Amino acid sequence: MTQHNEPITYAGAGVDVEAGDKAVELMKASVKQAQRPEVLGGLGGFAGLFDASVLARMEHPILATSTDGVGTKVAIAQALDTHDTIGFDLVGMVVDDIVVCGAEPLYMTDYIATGKVVPERIAAIVKGIAAACRQANVALIGGETAEHPGLLAADEYDVAGAATGVVDKADLILPESVREGDVVLGLAASGLHSNGYSLVRKVYASAGWGYNKHVEEFGRALGEELLEPTRVYAADLLRLIRTDGVDIHALSHVTGGGLAANVARVLPKGMGARIERSTWTPPAVFDVTQRVGNVPQDDIERTLNMGVGFVAVLPAEQAATAIEVCAELDLPAWRMGEIARTENLDAAEAEIISGAKGVDAGACQIVGSYA
């Protein structure tokens, strides 16, 4: 057995416990702002505590949970050394999935893995997470920062999170509510959000475009456009759901898989959404990405949200009210299509998408050309 002459320490192996402690101290002020009255205890415990007596006010509380990450968008944050916005992407990807079923997100935890803990960088990441949680009225009740030398480079990190919400069973938004003749509303995205960045990064790397390149169509540098934070919809959608005279039959969070696939999975079998491209103009980043990479139409639509971050389905006579509520919330919304029986969709007009995410549900087709 060969014995190492010099003592090997944890710090010598690349893990700096003191840096981790400093990161926690730096993030405390941000986390303190992302709380709810139900949170018990403070930062640093082995578990986050949340007073569940709030559920007693419901007749039949149903818990909803979601977990996700940000994907390769973190590579752009790292390249630009800008870390205080990626938290909005993480929170949006997690809590907005919970709202789809009508649930109110209550609390969230995060996980950050990095090659080297730089306290200021970790604090900046958490600052963004906390700010987004505060915007969504979600408590950030715990998290973990892990140093993984040898697995990740010193300046590399990845982020993930999980959240829990609750809804009274009577208020669940279920596919069975959808009716023929319902209207499909589009709710505007803030940009690319957090999906499809492997394609996007490949497009611009192949074209030799650096993140500092000024792009006329964007009115700013490429990196700034690509790092635009994901809009967090949770609080606004709960406001819409709880509006008198608005009966939401279905909600879809447009994430991985694109618009058609995510709409199809929230519809009941036998029902399909017919969406017309002519009802909106995707932001410039989608057109530029497609042109620079010569990306086929079906591929880009299957990968990116095309400017639609959320979709709501509701009775036709309530659409105007819903659009007005969204306008008050500074959330652009428009009538983009309607629900029909799948058998009445014309396959000769456009491809009919179904079976997304392994769900035996409804269908969706997108027709025409963008405005």
Side-chain angles (χ1 to χ4, degrees):
M1 180 183 297
T2 302
Q3 182 174 340
H4 200 278
N5 293 327
E6 297 296 327
I8 297 177
T9 64
Y10 205 16
V15 178
D16 189 340
V17 176
E18 292 183 1
D21 291 340
K22 183 180 179 182
V24 172
E25 287 299 319
L26 291 176
M27 69 177 70
K28 277 185 175 180
S30 296
V31 174
K32 189 175 181 179
Q33 297 178 38
Q35 298 297 301
R36 289 173 56 118
E38 301 92 344
V39 176
L40 304 176
L43 191 65
F46 281 91
L49 302 177
F50 192 90
D51 185 351
S53 64
V54 64
L55 309 186
R57 299 197 298 265
M58 298 182 175
E59 291 185 9
H60 191 153
I62 304 292
L63 294 178
T65 186
S66 176
T67 185
D68 211 334
V70 175
T72 62
K73 188 171 184 175
V74 296
I76 298 173
Q78 292 160 21
L80 297 178
D81 196 23
T82 300
H83 312 286
D84 59 355
T85 62
I86 204 74
F88 279 84
D89 301 291
L90 177 63
V91 174
M93 290 295 289
V94 175
V95 305
D96 286 344
D97 276 1
I98 288 176
V99 180
V100 167
C101 68
E104 176 183 0
L106 299 174
Y107 58 82
M108 180 169 175
T109 57
D110 63 63
Y111 178 79
I112 304 170
T114 183
K116 178 179 176 58
V117 170
V118 178
E120 294 77 12
R121 184 167 60 205
I122 299 299
I125 297 170
V126 175
K127 178 182 178 182
I129 296 172
C133 282
R134 185 169 68 251
Q135 187 179 104
N137 193 31
V138 174
L140 182 60
I141 65 171
E144 173 70 9
T145 300
E147 199 165 28
H148 292 165
L151 182 62
L152 295 168
D155 60 348
E156 290 181 338
Y157 62 82
D158 196 13
V159 294
T164 297
V166 66
V167 59
D168 211 328
K169 187 176 182 180
D171 297 326
L172 274 170
I173 297 176
L174 300 171
E176 290 72 25
S177 301
V178 176
R179 298 286 182 268
E180 184 178 13
D182 280 352
V183 163
V184 180
L185 295 187
L187 308 181
S190 57
L192 295 172
H193 284 187
S194 303
N195 293 102
Y197 274 79
S198 293
L199 170 65
V200 172
R201 290 168 52 244
K202 177 71 171 178
V203 164
Y204 291 112
S206 297
W209 287 26
Y211 292 137
N212 292 323
K213 176 182 173 63
H214 180 83
V215 181
E216 192 65 33
E217 292 91 336
F218 304 158
R220 56 180 172 175
L222 173 65
E224 292 179 289
E225 180 70 28
L226 300 187
L227 205 57
E228 179 67 32
T230 299
R231 173 156 190 159
V232 180
Y233 297 86
D236 292 341
L237 286 174
L238 288 173
R239 165 84 178 275
L240 181 63
I241 290 168
R242 294 165 179 169
T243 297
D244 291 337
V246 174
D247 183 20
I248 299 296
H249 287 173
L251 288 171
S252 177
H253 189 193
V254 184
T255 55
L259 176 59
N262 280 292
V263 171
R265 64 192 286 212
V266 301
L267 302 180
K269 192 172 182 180
M271 290 290 182
R274 184 180 184 277
I275 292 174
E276 298 183 17
R277 295 186 183 94
S278 62
T279 60
W280 85 99
T281 302
V285 66
F286 299 96
D287 177 60
V288 173
T289 300
Q290 184 175 12
R291 286 191 287 107
V292 171
N294 194 26
V295 183
Q297 182 77 15
D298 61 343
D299 196 79
I300 197 166
E301 290 188 336
R302 195 168 52 238
T303 307
L304 305 180
N305 67 51
M306 303 308 293
V308 184
F310 242 92
V311 166
V313 178
L314 72 167
E317 64 272 16
Q318 300 176 7
T321 300
I323 292 172
E324 288 177 7
V325 172
C326 289
E328 293 172 2
L329 299 169
D330 195 26
L331 175 56
W334 67 96
R335 185 169 174 160
M336 65 190 312
E338 63 180 22
I339 301 297
R341 295 193 177 279
T342 306
E343 62 195 43
N344 293 331
L345 297 178
D346 185 1
E349 184 178 20
E351 181 183 8
I352 299 174
I353 304 295
S354 62
K357 305 286 184 179
V359 180
D360 187 17
C364 181
Q365 70 172 173
I366 307 178
V367 303
S369 301
Y370 291 113

